[in-house]
């Protein structure tokens, strides 16, 4: 039949053309030419009379399918013949980064949020009252030795610890329960491989009725295990801070030697007999509670204050040789995190 | 402060069957921490951390007391050995003449004169002992004073009695500017109000509590020694040693208020040693000054201890612990009464202190951890804190690296940027001039960060989101701490940089920002950004002169955002734009205007509510071209209607 031949001709035309096509662009163009809305196949079909259409209706479907198959096959061949080395180094869009300290603060924040502590950020520059005297550290006291404080005036200091947040929080909330973590910048007159003049601390405070040391151990353990790992343990050692009584130093088992203090036969170089110092803690001193407007006969509580950079360096396990590197602006360093 | 204690010395004061490791472990867990251990032949030297309030543990005897109190808790027997002191009568012909001009300067002192002293080098055992404690052996007499300090924790002084003019001593306050030549050969000018001793010829012979004077020092000819065992007023000692920069062991002990109760034992042990090692003979009565020690008794509720502990602990156990620590316990009606030993008077003042004593010996490691489940009503962080971290994460995901610079910087940096240095928040005791003032802005610091990367990284896109500090006009009021954001980028394509800023502001709910040209130090060109007439920031290009390297090819773009203003702006535009049901009609428009493109776009958008979008095509001289899409959800717009609307818009610009 005449019509059938027309379709056969079309198929032959396509086969011939396919032998010379050798680019993906061309095969796509050709495909549209043949199978497109205004393509050759549809044009042919539109030229058929009603009678002819009835006769070759099914054939059209078969032809279309056949053409699609050979066109697709050619298309695939061309695509798959463009072989590239899939292992070449990638060139991504510019990648940004959060600062290491921001990441640490974010993670620390989240852990305490889960424990039900509200996140605060109190003043970096505060009066001597909030920074020391109100915390039971009188002027001329030897305890002031431990913090080399920057002074803005006789009465205004750059806080050397986030403990001013304790008094501020007590004044804010007024009636216990009080449960907060204050994370902010702190300053000390020190600059060497393990100290920067500006650094960050996080300070936890919980005040309620009948708070126990067990509660303090529980919260510190929860933090330590969330941040450093489930297998880590903490211990408290007696210490002294003017604003807590009893006071403790909190240690955590060393991640390198697993708390044994030894690596094989040798002493572990990172820790002191299997333990690393995390920071200070204690039960809030009754004078501090009173200064914050809380009655120590009814309420008591615990507090702890630790260094963000410190826990950061302990977590990475990578010994950052010089803490001052943390504040580098070199992108080659920043983008590693 | 750190104490170096040879284990051999400790064993002279402590009787126990516990091993060395067990002793160190027990001490560390319940009291003074043994930080490190040094090997010293067949002996070991313990490096012990003595905390500020435990000066009673700053000696071999003090550590022995602690060990005897805590070792039984670990199942080991332990006892403090009695002190080996001169038991005989102390009497003689020598007369000690001391005048104390101000009795607040010294709380207790005992002194005695020993004659027939023969000064010679100490024996090997003594030299060895002192070396282990990093103390230089000098001669038998001086070495005895150092050994007494190490054993009993009260720094004693030995005067050459012959060198004290008229054998007269006056203890007084120093005057400002007075000078004294010390044992170490240095001469110190005093601030005044220090505790000093002058002799009969008004010569200063002792800087009390800190270091002895050269004038009265022991030398090889000394034959009469005045052994002096004092307890000075702690605050003055601290001030003197800090001012004179002489943080001697003696000053570190005296400033912490050591035990008055042991003074006589120290004297008698000293006498014994001087007799045995320097062939001395006691030749005076004990000269003493100082009130009787006032004993202190504190009430203690055993129930309260159990509450704080959160576990069971019997009254009996608690009493036993207190007794081992030297506290006497007597039962009262409701509470027990506990008497504080003299060597803990400086530190145990309230019931909480007693609770600490019991619990630390009991062992904090025995405490079962619990999680407090009390809930507070307000748990959400402030909007500022919430938004800050969102913005930081957003910018990081967009390809910017966050930097964190020190808040303290060199005042010169801000002077260059046009800040009046006098108005900045200044530190009165800076570490160096690099940490002198608190930054009033982030820009200068971030420019330094930018420079640090030139030549090292090709794409330098940085941001810093942090506090800046503005001084309060009232010097007594606290400075303001304001959260700010600064972004810098060497992206060659300004449109991309501006796009990032637009996107950031959009994310914060601020669309339709208005612009105005402005002037600002640091920028070669800049526009101010406003939202609803509130200033929210600036965007522009850095002025070339702020980059110290001259061969710089690209001058970076910068943006400063007033973060607190932005976050305070209430906007809950959580809605979304409905997608058009039919294709909007798109028409191009070219206008001649002097307005900034941003302003022109705002004007166009405001002119008709059926404008769906405005795209900027480009500018040539003062002509600007836009592509405007028209859409009305209520009716399908025809091209004619759109053209008419376009005409009206055009008219606005012709006015």
């Amino acid at each position: 039949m005449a019509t059938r031949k027309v379709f056969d001709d079309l198929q032959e035309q396509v086969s011939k053309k396919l032998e010379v096509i050798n680019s993906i662009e061309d095969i796509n163009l050709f495909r549209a030419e043949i199978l497109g809305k205004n393509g050759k196949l549809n044009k042919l079909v539109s030229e058929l009379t009603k009678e002819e259409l009835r006769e070759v209706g099914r054939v059209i479907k078969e032809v279309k399918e056949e053409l699609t198959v050979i066109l697709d096959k050619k298309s695939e061949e061309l695509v798959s013949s463009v072989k590239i080395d899939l292992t070449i180094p990638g060139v991504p869009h510019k990648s940004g980064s959060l600062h290491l300290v921001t990441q640490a603060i974010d993670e620390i924040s989240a852990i305490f949020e889960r424990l039900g502590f509200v996140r605060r950020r109190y003043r970096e520059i505060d009066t001597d009252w909030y920074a020391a005297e109100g915390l039971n550290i009188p002027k001329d006291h030897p305890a002031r030795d431990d913090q080399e404080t920057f002074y803005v005036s006789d009465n205004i200091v750059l806080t050397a610890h986030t403990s001013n947040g304790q008094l501020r929080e007590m004044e804010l909330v007024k009636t216990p329960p009080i449960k907060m973590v204050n994370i902010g910048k702190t300053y000390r007159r020190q600059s060497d491989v393990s100290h920067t003049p500006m650094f960050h601390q996080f300070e936890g405070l919980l005040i309620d009725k009948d708070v126990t040391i067990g509660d303090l151990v529980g919260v510190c353990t929860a933090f330590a295990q969330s941040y450093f790992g489930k297998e880590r343990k903490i211990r408290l050692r007696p210490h002294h801070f003017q604003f807590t009584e009893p006071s403790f130093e909190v240690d955590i088992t060393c991640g390198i030697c697993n708390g044994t203090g030894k690596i094989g036969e040798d002493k572990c170089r990172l820790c002191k007999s299997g333990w690393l110092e995390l920071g200070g803690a204690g039960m809030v001193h009754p004078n501090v509670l009173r200064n914050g407007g809380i009655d120590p006969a009814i309420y008591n509580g615990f507090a702890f204050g630790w260094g963000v950079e410190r826990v950061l360096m302990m977590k990475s396990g990578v010994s950052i040789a010089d803490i001052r590197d943390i504040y580098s602006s070199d992108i080659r360093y920043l983008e590693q995190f | 402060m750190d104490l170096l204690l040879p284990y051999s010395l400790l064993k002279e004061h402590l009787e126990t069957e516990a091993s060395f490791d067990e002793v160190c472990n027990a001490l560390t867990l319940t009291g003074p921490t043994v930080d490190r251990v040094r090997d010293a032949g067949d002996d070991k030297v313990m490096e012990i951390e003595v905390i500020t309030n435990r000066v009673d543990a700053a000696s071999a005897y003090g550590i022995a007391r602690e060990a005897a109190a805590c070792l039984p808790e670990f199942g080991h027997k332990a006892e403090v050995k009695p002190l080996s002191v001169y038991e005989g009568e102390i009497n003689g012909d020598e007369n000690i003449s001391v005048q104390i001009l101000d009795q607040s300067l010294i709380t207790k002192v005992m002194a005695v004169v020993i004659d027939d002293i023969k000064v010679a080098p100490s024996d090997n055992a003594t030299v060895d002992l002192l070396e282990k404690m990093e103390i230089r052996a000098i001669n038998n007499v001086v070495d005895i004073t150092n050994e007494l300090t190490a054993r009993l924790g009260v720094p004693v002084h030995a005067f050459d009695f012959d060198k004290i003019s008229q054998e007269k001593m006056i203890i007084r306050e120093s005057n400002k500017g007075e000078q004294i030549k010390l044992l170490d050969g240095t001469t110190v000018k005093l601030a005044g109000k220090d505790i000093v001793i002058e002799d009969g010829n008004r010569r200063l012979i002792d800087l009390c509590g800190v270091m002895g004077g050269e004038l009265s020092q022991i030398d090889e000819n000394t034959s009469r020694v005045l052994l002096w065992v004092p307890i000075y007023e702690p605050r003055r000692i601290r001030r003197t040693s800090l001012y004179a920069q002489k943080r001697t062991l003696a000053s570190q002990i005296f400033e912490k208020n050591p035990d008055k109760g042991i003074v006589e034992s120290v004297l008698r042990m000293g006498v014994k040693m001087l007799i045995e090692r320097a062939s001395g003979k006691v030749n005076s009565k004990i000269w003493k000054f100082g009130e009787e020690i006032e004993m202190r008794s504190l009430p203690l509720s055993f129930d309260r201890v159990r509450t704080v502990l959160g576990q069971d602990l019997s009254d009996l156990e608690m009493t036993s612990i207190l007794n081992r620590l030297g506290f006497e316990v007597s039962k009262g009606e409701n509470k027990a009464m506990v008497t504080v030993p003299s060597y803990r008077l400086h530190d145990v003042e309230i019931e909480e202190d007693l609770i600490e004593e019991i619990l630390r010996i009991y062992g904090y490691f025995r405490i079962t951890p619990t999680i407090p489940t009390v809930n507070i009503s307000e748990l959400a962080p402030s909007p500022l804190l919430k938004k800050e971290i969102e913005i930081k994460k957003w910018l990081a995901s967009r390809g910017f690296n966050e930097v964190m610079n020190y808040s303290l910087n060199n005042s010169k940096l801000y002077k260059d940027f046009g800040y009046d240095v006098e108005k900045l928040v200044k530190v009165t005791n800076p570490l160096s001039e690099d940490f002198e003032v608190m930054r009033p802005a982030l820009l200068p610091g971030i420019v330094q960060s930018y420079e640090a990367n030139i030549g090292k990284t090709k794409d330098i896109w940085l941001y810093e989101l942090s506090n800046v500090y503005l001084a309060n006009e009232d010097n007594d009021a606290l400075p303001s701490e304001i959260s700010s954001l600064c972004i810098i980028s060497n992206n060659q394509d300004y449109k991309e940089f501006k796009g990032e800023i637009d996107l950031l502001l959009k994310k914060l709910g601020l669309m339709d920002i208005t612009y105005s040209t402005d002037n600002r130090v640091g920028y070669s060109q800049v526009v101010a950004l406003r939202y609803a007439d509130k200033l929210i920031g600036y965007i522009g290009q850095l002025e070339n002169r702020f980059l110290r390297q001259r061969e710089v090819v690209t001058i970076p773009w910068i943006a400063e955002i007033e973060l607190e203003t932005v976050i305070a702006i209430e906007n809950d535009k959580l809605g979304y734009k409905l997608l058009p049901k039919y294709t909007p009609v798109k028409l191009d428009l070219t206008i001649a205007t002097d307005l900034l493109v941003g302003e022109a776009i705002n004007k166009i958008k405001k002119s008709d509510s059926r404008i769906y979008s405005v795209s900027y095509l480009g500018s040539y001289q003062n002509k600007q071209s836009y592509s405007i899409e028209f859409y009305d959800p209520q009716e399908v717009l025809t091209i004619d209607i759109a053209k008419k609307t376009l005409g009206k818009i055009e008219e606005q610009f012709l006015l």
Side-chain angles (χ1 to χ4, degrees), chain A residues 94 97 99 102 106 121 123-125 145 149 151 179 185 187 189 213 215 237-238 240 245 329 331, chain B residues 30 33 53 247 308 353 356 370 374 388 393 399 401-402 407 428-429 449 453 466-467 469 479 481:
Chain A
K94 169 125 192 19
S97 60
H99 194 269
T102 299
D106 197 30
R121 187 173 70 207
R123 296 196 131 270
E124 297 169 37
I125 308 176
D145 234 4
T149 307
Y151 283 84
K179 208 170 166 188
K185 290 195 167 79
Y187 303 86
R189 290 184 82 247
I213 298 180
D215 292 332
R237 270 184 297 118
H240 176 71
E245 189 69 36
S329 293
I331 292 174
Chain B
T30 62
T33 304
N53 66 326
R247 297 291 289 155
V308 172
D353 297 327
E356 179 176 39
T370 49
V374 66
E388 280 185 357
K393 287 181 175 172
N401 300 103
E402 182 187 0
S407 322
T428 58
N429 58 335
S449 299
N453 283 292
S466 198
N467 279 346
Y469 311 87
E481 300 175 17

Side-chain angles (χ1 to χ4, degrees), chain A residues 310-335:
Chain A
R310 195 185 170 79
V311 301
L312 180 59
M313 284 162 74
M314 283 165 59
K315 177 174 169 111
S316 55
V318 171
S319 36
I320 296 180
D322 191 328
I323 194 182
R324 292 171 288 197
D325 286 345
I326 290 183
Y327 289 98
S328 160
S329 293
D330 197 321
I331 292 174
R332 296 170 303 177
Y333 175 83
L334 296 171
E335 69 184 357

